[in-house]
Amino acid sequence: MKHKAQLCAHGGMQKWSIDFWETYSPVVNWITVRTLLTIAAIQDLPASSIDFVLAFHQAELDVIVYMELPIGMDIQHGVTKDYVLRLNKSINGLKQSSLNWFNLLPKALQKKGRDFRPSKVDPCMFVKDDCILLVYVDDVLVIGKSKDTIERFISSLKSGVE
């Protein structure tokens, strides 16, 4: 059995204009999803999905954020009340994590020859000649002209830290 743990912030403690300025979770319009899935089914286009497991952890913070030590974390002989953590990157639980991730995503999609453009109709849809991406927070639905196109795109994401 494999156990995993992940540090999460208690976003309910954050105060607007001190710890964050703006919140936003990128969610594709469901009309866009239904329309593109219908077109993909009619034209027999392949589709795949991607879950960016550590999406929020890649995005930079736009403000300085401190958090209390997690319960059970022992720093120095059980004394933890005098210590806090300064976050260098977004983590799950912060109110602005989704927005920070969404600000990073278009930059990653436009570099390394990926050349995706954001749609003028839906800001969570990114278009390229042979591929369309639909973003729902940290999940992406990929529709391409061929399975090879989709696999090349996924491989380009795996080739390095974005």
Side-chain angles (χ1 to χ4, degrees):
M1 181 193 259
K2 193 175 186 181
H3 296 282
K4 293 182 180 181
Q6 194 173 77
L7 180 64
C8 294
H10 185 347
M13 305 283 290
Q14 289 184 278
K15 300 207 182 313
W16 180 80
S17 79
I18 296 171
D19 299 314
F20 69 96
W21 288 101
E22 195 174 0
T23 63
Y24 171 71
S25 289
V27 178
V28 66
N29 188 322
W30 283 111
I31 294 171
T32 306
V33 175
R34 287 191 300 255
T35 303
L36 287 174
L37 285 176
T38 301
I39 292 169
I42 291 169
Q43 295 188 1
D44 199 29
L45 299 174
S48 184
S49 63
I50 303 170
D51 178 23
F52 289 94
V53 179
L54 296 175
F56 296 161
H57 302 268
Q58 296 180 32
E60 299 289 333
L61 285 167
D62 52 350
V63 295
I64 296 172
V65 177
Y66 295 95
M67 69 178 277
E68 294 176 358
L69 293 174
I71 296 171
M73 187 171 182
D74 186 21
I75 294 291
Q76 195 176 31
H77 309 295
V79 180
T80 59
K81 66 178 181 173
D82 297 331
Y83 292 92
V84 294
L85 301 175
R86 179 177 176 184
L87 301 179
N88 294 326
K89 301 254 185 177
S90 290
I91 62 172
N92 293 357
L94 292 178
K95 291 185 182 258
Q96 68 268 38
S97 289
S98 295
L99 176 64
N100 292 344
W101 158 246
F102 190 66
N103 289 337
L104 176 69
L105 185 61
K107 296 172 192 165
L109 293 176
Q110 292 171 355
K111 71 166 135 176
K112 288 188 181 176
R114 292 186 192 123
D115 303 322
F116 281 92
R117 301 172 310 280
S119 167
K120 294 178 183 173
V121 176
D122 191 333
C124 293
M125 180 170 81
F126 295 87
V127 182
K128 188 178 176 180
D129 294 337
D130 57 354
C131 200
I132 296 175
L133 308 177
L134 304 176
V135 179
Y136 189 91
V137 188
D138 64 344
D139 297 313
V140 177
L141 177 63
V142 184
I143 299 171
K145 287 188 177 178
S146 68
K147 276 193 170 224
D148 187 49
T149 301
I150 294 172
E151 289 172 8
R152 274 196 321 266
F153 169 69
I154 293 173
S155 294
S156 78
L157 290 176
K158 290 179 181 178
S159 67
V161 177
E162 297 301 327

